[in-house]
């Protein structure tokens, strides 16, 4: 095995997910290219490498690294490059030059042993000095950990994440129980933990700790697919097959989890504990609201000026909202849901009632506020979700501190999942009226449950369906075609209007047409911003016409890299200032949630922070992401139809292709086109469009909310709406 010693000159390529690196390396005698799986080393670092010489068919002679050792820099130039390379958060090239000028070859010793002396350097105060010391110590510890973690096959990106979470206990945790990683680290699934256990020689298929981790992992995965529970026998068989463990062992583990109250089993329905209680308690609280009389009886007042313009259905909705403890108002586009809500708010105000408005997302809340002229919040903000000293993250509004309102109106209820719905119900006292507004034909929530459909299916909650399409709405082909599609009919296309179809057969042809539409044709025709005003929606993530490929190509077209462009790479993703991005998991500490859209407004290589501006109800909010947190973001020039719920865009473009055959469904197509305000452009084949229109299959979710409501209604004497 050959050995080299020298300095890393520059990083040519680095994949955060698997740690594969290509770099230029300088020894005393030559400059060369090194490749291999390495931790996040930086330009300026001195390394001792062991490996083999190889010849790449395109790039020529390279040194393939097998093992490495970090050597402290021994020259002033090496120290400057080492400190200023971005390796240590808080030090950029300018600060590094100042520090090395002040302390010379003693720089690293000063940082490690007497960091307070860093305050002798202009621009460095006590906090930054300590931050630099901590970052250098952490970097050394990470590199030390890499030797152990790489030895068991863990990628550098995952090793860094493990160290950030467990610190110096990382090696101990992995050796004692690698399955803890699946429980406690975002982005580490059971299969990764299982792989690590195998590398450590700890993978006994029937080991209780392994089966326990597997059962919990697969239960959580089912909730991520939208299910509230799973049928026991079906689940046991599937987990047994997946884990290659006897069904008896799986049953034994489930029984143990029942004793711990981590899961609940009721009538062969297996729940994770939080979802069991959400379902039962939500049903109980709904019935309490439904059966309660208003705290203050008020006469029904119907000023003619407020009600003359309403249809019979809308007037009925307003009347019931003033009388019932809980009311569901549902209807498609153009049926006057917003007009009904505005009239209801006005009448409540005339009666001296306090009304609160909310929606699941910041964008949906902003739309509600613009449509009604009244303040609206996200449900999380309405419930005052946030951090409280001593309690951590919690909802400020609950049974002990309920919302003070006569009427609470929630829009876009199809987006509300069961856990959030339960938190809302906890904050309402009997006598407060709850009005839920949504479109039952939209896709269900991203999170577990199918709240809107379950409430209707229970046949206990009063429902008013708005079906009359207003004349003004009838002029929009977006509205009329949405209703045609919902009725199983093909949409109608005209040369002029707001709804277009472009024929393109090959997936590559579809993609080329979409790029032209976004970058040239539609901005020129509509005088619109291609990033802010146009949203590409695709049913799938993979494939040529899927979200991932479209994002790569749209980023190249709309926000290309180049000289002077600041960017940061995370795995196969590249982020640049101005990029449209989306949050892909709930992050309660940052108060950003799965599906939230934002724009990157700053990338700070020195502090290793990316700043994203998110649109809240009334203002733009800046959220900072450390580089290692970038796995929570993806590009959002194109997003999935599911993630578009609750949002509206001036222009929507959708590929419609048999490449997406498995997801060519009516409700998905309907949801996508109803996101558009001014124009819809479908690109693909009429054959694929016809398949989607005719396919009315709805993915059923395992939820027992409707039967639970119905059962409790019989017990309380309120059966049937």
């Amino acid at each position: 095995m050959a050995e080299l010693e020298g300095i890393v000159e520059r990083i040519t390529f680095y994949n955060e997910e698997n740690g594969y690196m290509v770099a230029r390396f300088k020894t005393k005698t030559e400059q060369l290219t090194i490749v291999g799986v390495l931790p996040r080393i930086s330009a300026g670092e001195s390394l001792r490498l062991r490996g083999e010489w190889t010849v790449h068919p395109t790039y020529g002679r390279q040194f393939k690294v097998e093992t490495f050792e970090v050597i402290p820099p021994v020259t002033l130039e090496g120290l400057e490059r080492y400190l200023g390379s971005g390796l240590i958060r808080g030090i950029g090239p300018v600060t590094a030059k100042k520090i090395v000028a002040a302390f010379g070859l003693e720089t690293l010793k000063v940082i490690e042993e007497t960091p307070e002396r860093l305050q002798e350097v202009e621009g460095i105060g006590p906090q930054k000095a300590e931050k630099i010391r901590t970052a250098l110590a952490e970097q050394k510890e990470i590199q030390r950990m890499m030797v152990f973690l790489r030895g068991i096959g863990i990628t550098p990106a995952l090793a860094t994440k493990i160290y950030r979470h467990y610190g110096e206990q990382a090696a101990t945790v992995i050796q004692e129980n690698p399955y803890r990683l699946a429980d406690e680290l975002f982005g580490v699934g059971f299969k990764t933990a299982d792989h690590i256990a195998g590398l450590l020689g700890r993978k006994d298929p029937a080991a209780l700790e392994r089966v326990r981790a597997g059962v919990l992992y697969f239960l959580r995965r089912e909730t991520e697919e939208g299910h509230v529970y799973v049928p026991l026998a079906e689940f046991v068989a599937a987990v047994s097959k997946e884990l290659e463990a006897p069904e008896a062992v799986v049953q034994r583990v489930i029984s143990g989890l029942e004793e711990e109250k981590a899961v609940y089993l009721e009538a062969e329905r297996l729940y994770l504990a939080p979802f069991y209680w959400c379902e039962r308690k939500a049903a109980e609280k709904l019935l309490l609201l439904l059966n309660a009389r208003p705290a203050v009886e008020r006469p029904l007042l119907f000023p003619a000026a407020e009600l003359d313009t309403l249809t019979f259905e809308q007037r009925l909705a307003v009347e019931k909202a003033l009388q019932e403890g809980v009311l569901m108002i549902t209807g498609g586009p153009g049926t006057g849901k917003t007009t009904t809500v505005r009239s209801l708010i006005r009448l409540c105000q005339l009666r001296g009632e306090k009304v609160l408005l909310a929606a699941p997302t910041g964008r949906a809340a902003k739309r509600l506020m613009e449509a009604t002229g009244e303040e609206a919040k996200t449900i999380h903000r309405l419930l005052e979700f946030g951090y409280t000293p001593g309690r951590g993250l919690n909802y400020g509004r609950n049974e002990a501190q309920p919302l003070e309102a006569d009427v609470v109106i929630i829009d876009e209820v199809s987006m509300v999942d069961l856990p959030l719905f339960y938190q809302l119900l906890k904050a309402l006292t009997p006598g407060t009226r709850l009005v839920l507004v949504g479109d039952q034909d939209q896709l269900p929530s991203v999170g577990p449950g199918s709240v809107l459909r379950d409430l209707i299916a229970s046949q206990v909650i009063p429902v008013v369906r708005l079906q009359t399409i207003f004349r003004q709405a009838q002029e929009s082909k977006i509205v009329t075609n949405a209703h045609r599609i919902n009725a199983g009919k093909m949409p109608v296309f005209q040369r002029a209007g707001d709804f277009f179809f472009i024929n393109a057969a090959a997936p590559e042809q579809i993609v080329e047409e979409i790029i032209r539409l976004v970058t040239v044709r539609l901005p020129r025709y509509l005088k619109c911003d291609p990033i802010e005003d146009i949203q590409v929606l695709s049913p799938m993530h993979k494939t040529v016409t899927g979200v991932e490929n479209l994002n790569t190509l749209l980023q190249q077209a709309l926000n290309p890299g180049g000289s002077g462009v600041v960017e940061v790479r995370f795995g196969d993703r590249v982020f640049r200032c101005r990029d449209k991005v989306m949050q892909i998991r709930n992050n309660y500490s940052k108060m950003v949630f799965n599906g939230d859209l934002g724009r990157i407004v700053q990338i700070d290589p020195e502090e290793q922070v990316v700043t994203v501006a998110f649109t809240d109800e009334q203002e733009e909010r800046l959220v900072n992401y450390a580089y290692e947190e970038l796995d929570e973001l993806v590009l959002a020039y194109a997003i999935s139809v599911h993630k578009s719920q609750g949002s509206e865009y001036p222009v929507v473009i959708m590929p419609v292709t048999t490449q997406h055959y498995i997801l060519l469904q009516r409700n998905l197509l309907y949801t996508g086109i109803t996101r558009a305000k001014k124009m819809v452009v479908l690109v693909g084949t009429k054959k694929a469009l016809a398949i989607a229109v005719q396919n009315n299959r709805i993915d059923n979710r395992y939820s027992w909310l409707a039967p639970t409501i119905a059962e409790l209604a019989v017990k309380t004497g309120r059966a049937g709406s």
Side-chain angles (χ1 to χ4, degrees), residues 529-581:
D529 184 308
I531 298 178
E532 283 296 321
D533 298 332
I534 301 174
Q535 185 62 60
V536 178
L537 304 179
S538 180
M540 297 189 76
H541 286 273
K542 304 296 183 181
T543 76
V544 174
T545 52
V547 166
E548 293 177 9
N549 185 52
L550 284 168
N551 267 320
T552 299
L553 298 175
L554 286 166
Q555 184 193 44
Q556 290 172 3
L558 295 171
N559 195 24
S563 178
V565 176
V566 180
E567 62 182 37
V568 56
R569 181 180 293 273
F570 189 91
D572 58 355
R573 307 171 201 165
V574 176
F575 297 106
R576 304 184 182 111
C577 281
R578 294 182 63 246
D579 272 338
K580 184 193 288 189
V581 293

Side-chain angles (χ1 to χ4, degrees), residues 146-161:
M146 291 297 182
V147 176
F148 163 70
L149 296 172
R150 186 166 180 256
I152 59 172
I154 296 177
T155 66
L158 178 55
T160 301
K161 181 178 287 189

Side-chain angles (χ1 to χ4, degrees), residues 477-493 499 665-671 673-674 680 682 689 692-696:
K477 288 300 175 189
I478 296 174
V479 172
T480 56
N481 279 333
H483 285 277
R484 287 183 64 85
I485 288 168
N486 209 24
K489 299 176 182 177
M490 285 287 282
V492 174
F493 305 103
F499 201 104
Q665 298 172 12
R666 185 186 300 172
N667 65 340
L668 190 140
L669 178 62
Y670 173 83
T671 298
I673 67 174
T674 54
V680 169
L682 305 180
L689 181 60
V693 170
Q694 294 304 315
N695 181 8
N696 197 30

Side-chain angles (χ1 to χ4, degrees), residues 5 20 78 113 201 220 262 272 314 321 358 360 368 403 424 426 454 464 489 532 556 668 685 694 704 714 720:
E5 193 171 305
Y20 183 77
E113 298 178 7
R220 291 192 191 102
L272 283 170
Q314 290 175 310
L368 181 60
L403 291 167
L424 172 68
K426 284 170 67 176
D454 284 347
V464 176
K489 299 176 182 177
E532 283 296 321
Q556 290 172 3
L668 190 140
T685 66
Q694 294 304 315
W704 207 250
V714 171

